[in-house]
Amino acid sequence: MKTQIAIIGAGPAGLLLGQLLHNAGIDTLILERQTPDYVLGRIRAGVLEQGMTELLRQAGVGRRMDAEGLLHNGFELALGGRRVHIDLHGLTGGKHVMIYGQTEVTRDLMAARRDTGARTIYQASNVEPHGMKTAEPYVTFEQDGETWRLDCDYIAGCDGFHGVARQSIPSECLKVFERVYPFGWLGILADTPPVNEELVYARHERGFALCSMRSPSRTRYYLQVPSGEKVEDWSDQRFWDELKMRLPLELAAALVTGPSIEKSIAPLRSFVVEPMQYGRMFLVGDAAHIVPPTGAKGLNLAASDVSTLFNILLKVYREGRVDLLDKYSEVCLRRIWKAERFSWWMTSMLHRFDDNDAFSQRIAESELDYFVDSEAGRKTIAENYVGLPYEAIE
Ligand code: APR
Ligand code: PHB
């Protein structure tokens, strides 16, 4: 088999890159370990930066998002009993975010790829990249007991944190930066109306809570829980009771509860690998970096990596600008580190850290109070939340 760009992983990163390249007349083949239903069954984030919504439109997959997504001009911070509105629109000169689930983004991208007839091989096992440092890289994989070889010009490793792409780079060629937090997020999805029109990020002495949504009739709520907590120990009732305790009184009173349709715990981690390329293979999205979800940056960083790689490849194929290939990692990492910083900061400000001494606890509270009480501080939060600009490729 042969293609121009071999893409490993059919998550949002792989599918979006595939769509943009296909539209530009560059051939791609996507190899995905799971089935489409399995990929769509994962409940992930739901806040899209404006840069990502524009990229989806550019890829021709913005129609349903524009019809069904919810534009949010702000969000709320609940600090103990106090509610602070972060006016994203006013503080950033008119920017906003779009509430549209990653599952829906993925569904739209899958449908668009199916319509174009571009190739995706699902349930490909033992996917392995080879010859990345040569001019003739290739990927081997198995399907239905047969082994295949896919020759290509470049490989895009869009296979998430546990994927094979990063793991096939010799460890001495990579530097890993990592922080693991001593807690996770317990999330539930429920068919209930949102407790508030905008998202609410709540800091509370019992721990952090987040009120998010997928639509006017579907909500997503999260609670900070200690690492090692088991989802089986959290009945719906226990979840709702705990959430109410962490919200300001009027929100707790307005909360509509109902049976959960999904419940899971995700660990919190900050992770970056440098560089994000190895010869002719590029790491994209979660394969190269993880952020704690507090800043809603994970999916959006995958999109900005995709934009960078797509614009470089476009210039490589159209203008012969192979010099740009070596720029991929440094361009991506500049934006990634800023989002890593913001996500770490939001996490540090809003969560309960049991290991913090009383002094550090007060300093954290006071730091956030300072930010929200100052227009400059709120601007900083807003400008990071709506998403920093994408760097032009020239
Ligand atoms: N071979 C083939 N496919 C693989 C392999 C492998 N060895 N390992 C993983 N995959 C597939 C996974 O099954 C998954 O469908 O790669 C895909 C990776 O998708 P995601 O994990 O969703 O990662 P990405 O596309 O980078 O999406 C951005 O940012 O913060 C997050 O929630 C956000 O998941 C989102 C991510
Ligand atoms: C979500 O809706 O799942 C969500 C929203 C905002 C975040 C994280 C997750 O910061």
Side-chain angles (χ1 to χ4, degrees):
M1 288 187 204
K2 213 170 167 25
T3 188
Q4 287 173 297
I5 315 294
I7 299 177
I8 308 177
L15 288 165
L16 180 53
L17 179 66
Q19 198 61 23
L20 290 161
L21 289 170
H22 178 87
N23 294 346
I26 299 169
D27 190 59
T28 62
L29 193 154
I30 302 185
L31 296 168
E32 165 61 50
R33 180 163 56 182
Q34 306 288 355
T35 62
D37 282 346
Y38 183 95
V39 173
L40 289 173
R42 296 186 290 227
I43 306 296
R44 298 267 180 88
V47 179
L48 312 186
E49 295 172 352
Q50 220 161 309
M52 176 164 188
T53 59
E54 280 156 19
L55 195 63
L56 287 166
R57 288 184 200 112
Q58 184 191 338
V61 288
R63 207 170 40 84
R64 200 163 66 93
M65 170 188 77
D66 283 324
E68 297 176 18
L70 310 172
L71 277 185
H72 278 201
N73 286 324
F75 69 88
E76 237 185 69
L77 290 169
L79 310 175
R82 179 174 171 220
R83 295 172 65 179
V84 178
H85 182 238
I86 301 293
D87 174 11
L88 295 174
H89 194 263
L91 291 162
T92 62
K95 294 198 176 138
H96 47 244
V97 292
M98 173 83 82
I99 306 300
Y100 192 64
Q102 177 174 326
T103 311
E104 304 314 312
V105 172
T106 310
R107 200 188 304 281
D108 296 346
L109 284 163
M110 279 181 176
R113 189 162 179 92
R114 214 173 301 127
D115 290 347
T116 60
R119 294 170 293 172
T120 310
I121 297 179
Y122 285 96
Q123 293 182 284
S125 56
N126 288 326
V127 174
E128 248 185 87
H130 306 270
M132 296 87 97
K133 285 284 202 183
T134 73
E136 282 145 5
Y138 62 98
V139 182
T140 54
F141 63 96
E142 286 168 28
Q143 201 202 19
D144 300 330
E146 249 186 281
T147 302
W148 298 87
R149 171 180 168 135
L150 172 63
D151 289 292
C152 56
D153 298 337
Y154 301 100
I155 302 169
C158 305
D159 49 352
F161 184 63
H162 300 287
V164 66
R166 189 182 70 252
Q167 285 166 29
S168 31
I169 302 174
S171 56
E172 64 273 18
C173 298
L174 294 179
K175 187 161 171 56
V176 171
F177 301 82
E178 187 168 27
R179 172 151 309 181
V180 177
Y181 301 87
F183 42 73
W185 278 17
L186 167 65
I188 70 167
L189 196 64
D191 280 329
T192 54
V195 67
N196 191 51
E197 251 178 74
E198 295 179 339
L199 268 57
V200 181
Y201 290 79
R203 178 182 77 193
H204 192 274
E205 55 189 28
R206 295 183 65 87
F208 170 76
L210 170 61
C211 306
S212 181
M213 66 192 75
R214 290 290 175 273
S215 75
S217 58
R218 180 163 286 187
T219 48
R220 181 81 169 147
Y221 293 107
Y222 296 96
L223 291 176
Q224 173 187 357
V225 292
S227 299
E229 198 78 1
K230 290 201 176 56
V231 77
E232 304 82 72
D233 294 336
W234 284 86
S235 64
D236 288 356
Q237 192 58 48
R238 182 177 174 204
F239 184 96
W240 294 121
D241 289 346
E242 183 65 32
L243 179 60
K244 281 184 188 172
M245 283 192 266
R246 298 185 189 185
L247 294 179
L249 287 177
E250 61 281 15
L251 285 180
L255 184 72
V256 179
T257 64
S260 65
I261 43 180
E262 196 265 356
K263 197 188 287 158
S264 53
I265 296 183
L268 263 68
R269 179 195 298 273
S270 298
F271 176 95
V272 181
V273 79
E274 293 184 1
M276 290 168 57
Q277 64 195 93
Y278 181 67
R280 288 184 172 237
M281 181 169 78
F282 303 89
L283 301 178
V284 184
D286 276 17
H289 43 77
I290 296 291
V291 284
T294 327
K297 291 286 163 247
L299 176 59
N300 292 299
L301 279 182
S304 54
D305 291 354
V306 165
S307 170
T308 303
L309 185 56
F310 167 65
N311 284 303
I312 288 176
L313 290 174
L314 205 56
K315 285 199 156 60
V316 167
Y317 282 102
R318 293 201 174 153
E319 301 165 25
R321 291 286 309 278
V322 287
D323 60 299
L324 291 174
L325 292 165
D326 289 338
K327 297 254 165 11
Y328 172 72
S329 184
E330 61 189 70
V331 171
C332 289
L333 285 166
R334 273 195 285 274
R335 190 171 191 279
I336 288 160
W337 272 114
K338 289 177 189 146
E340 289 282 347
R341 187 211 64 81
F342 178 64
S343 306
W344 161 85
W345 184 80
M346 287 281 278
T347 304
S348 313
M349 291 298 108
L350 292 168
H351 289 72
R352 178 194 159 102
F353 284 77
D354 286 333
D355 289 346
N356 269 4
D357 56 28
F359 181 81
S360 312
Q361 194 65 41
R362 281 284 185 275
I363 290 290
E365 286 165 19
S366 146
E367 183 170 348
L368 188 55
D369 286 348
Y370 163 71
F371 267 81
V372 301
D373 288 337
S374 121
E375 160 117 12
R378 287 195 301 278
K379 258 195 177 152
T380 300
I381 294 174
E383 139 175 288
N384 281 280
Y385 194 84
V386 299
L388 297 173
Y390 289 12
E391 212 172 291
I393 303 297
E394 273 146 8

